[in-house]
Amino acid sequence: MAKTKESLKTQIYNAILDHIFSGEFKPGQILNEKELVEKFGCSKAPVREALIALCSDNVLRSFPRYGYEIIRLTSEEIEEIQNYRLILETGYLRNCYHNLTKLQLSELTRIADRCLSPESTVWEHWEANTEFHLTLLSFAHNRYASEQLARSMAILKRAYAQFYWHTWNQSVPSIDVQHHYPIIESLEKKDIERAIQLLKEDLSDFCLY
């Protein structure tokens, strides 16, 4: 019973996130528990638990007896996350670049190819780009660092929905992943300073229009 209850809570948690990513639920909108119960056709308990979990993850803000507001990410907050990523990703890359293997670089190339797929949807593109950065950091073999980057990318996914959803077009993939191949080439040459500079430029391509 507990397992089923937890599974339903997780499904509702993910469904609410999906609605935020798709733009059906918008930043600043108030979500009502009763309306969500009707929408998902379930009891109050898993909906309430999902809402509480989303509050804990800073996706929602609770207003007692009123509802749950979808938190709007500010450009300042996003800049702070990007600055954190810059230190995290460049620091660990500098520590591990000399041990990178041809197999690992081939894996990065495979992911870079996916990032430029002309048939990608906005979220397929986002997931491929995220995989590139998580894979690159994973070569440092620090699980905690990888978990923190994954958490940062989850927040930035909401920012992607907030700022890019209505302006998405097929020129975006080539713009925000244009440094991936040069990064790989620099790492093949063990040119860490060039790779670090390119990674910085890659992170700066996450612009808010």
Side-chain angles (χ1 to χ4, degrees):
M1 182 67 176
K3 183 176 180 180
T4 303
K5 183 179 178 182
E6 180 64 23
S7 176
L8 186 54
K9 167 204 161 184
T10 301
Q11 290 176 33
I12 294 170
Y13 177 104
N14 290 331
I16 292 173
L17 277 181
D18 286 341
H19 288 316
I20 292 173
F21 296 148
S22 71
E24 181 177 344
F25 294 164
K26 303 182 184 304
Q29 180 177 340
I30 300 296
L31 300 182
N32 180 278
E33 186 177 298
K34 181 179 178 182
E35 292 174 352
L36 291 174
V37 167
E38 294 175 357
K39 183 178 183 66
F40 296 121
C42 62
S43 64
K44 289 183 179 180
V47 169
R48 184 171 298 158
E49 290 171 3
L51 291 168
I52 291 172
L54 287 163
C55 287
S56 296
D57 290 340
N58 295 315
V59 177
L60 303 178
R61 181 183 295 113
S62 175
F63 290 94
R65 297 181 296 280
Y66 182 57
Y68 298 81
E69 179 186 15
I70 300 174
I71 295 175
R72 181 182 297 277
L73 293 165
T74 66
S75 57
E76 289 78 12
E77 289 170 326
I78 295 166
E79 184 178 357
E80 287 178 357
I81 295 172
Q82 289 295 81
N83 286 338
Y84 171 72
R85 286 184 61 198
L86 176 63
I87 296 171
L88 183 71
E89 294 186 53
T90 58
Y92 276 101
L93 182 58
R94 189 178 293 279
N95 284 341
C96 75
Y97 80 94
H98 50 279
N99 291 323
L100 295 179
T101 66
K102 289 184 178 180
L103 183 61
Q104 289 172 325
L105 293 175
S106 295
E107 183 179 0
L108 282 180
T109 300
R110 176 186 60 79
I111 300 169
D113 291 341
R114 282 182 49 218
C115 290
L116 287 173
S117 171
E119 286 130 15
S120 291
T121 66
V122 58
W123 295 124
E124 288 170 342
H125 171 73
W126 172 260
E127 294 302 335
N129 188 27
T130 297
E131 184 182 357
F132 181 89
H133 288 275
L134 287 173
T135 300
L136 185 58
L137 184 62
S138 73
F139 297 150
H141 302 294
N142 187 306
R143 188 181 67 177
Y144 181 78
S146 294
E147 289 173 352
Q148 293 309 304
L149 179 58
R151 182 177 177 83
S152 296
M153 297 303 290
I155 298 172
L156 289 173
K157 185 176 181 180
R158 287 165 46 213
Y160 215 65
Q162 181 176 314
F163 291 95
Y164 279 101
W165 182 257
H166 296 297
T167 59
W168 171 259
N169 60 66
Q170 288 303 315
S171 68
V172 174
S174 62
I175 292 173
D176 67 0
V177 297
Q178 60 185 320
H179 295 99
H180 286 187
Y181 290 125
I183 288 172
I184 296 168
E185 291 171 5
S186 298
L187 292 174
E188 287 174 337
K189 297 175 182 177
K190 303 298 182 183
D191 186 350
I192 186 57
E193 297 308 324
R194 178 63 176 157
I196 292 291
Q197 181 58 39
L198 288 165
L199 184 53
K200 289 179 180 178
E201 293 174 10
D202 181 74
L203 293 179
S204 71
D205 283 339
F206 188 96
C207 300
L208 306 178
Y209 299 102

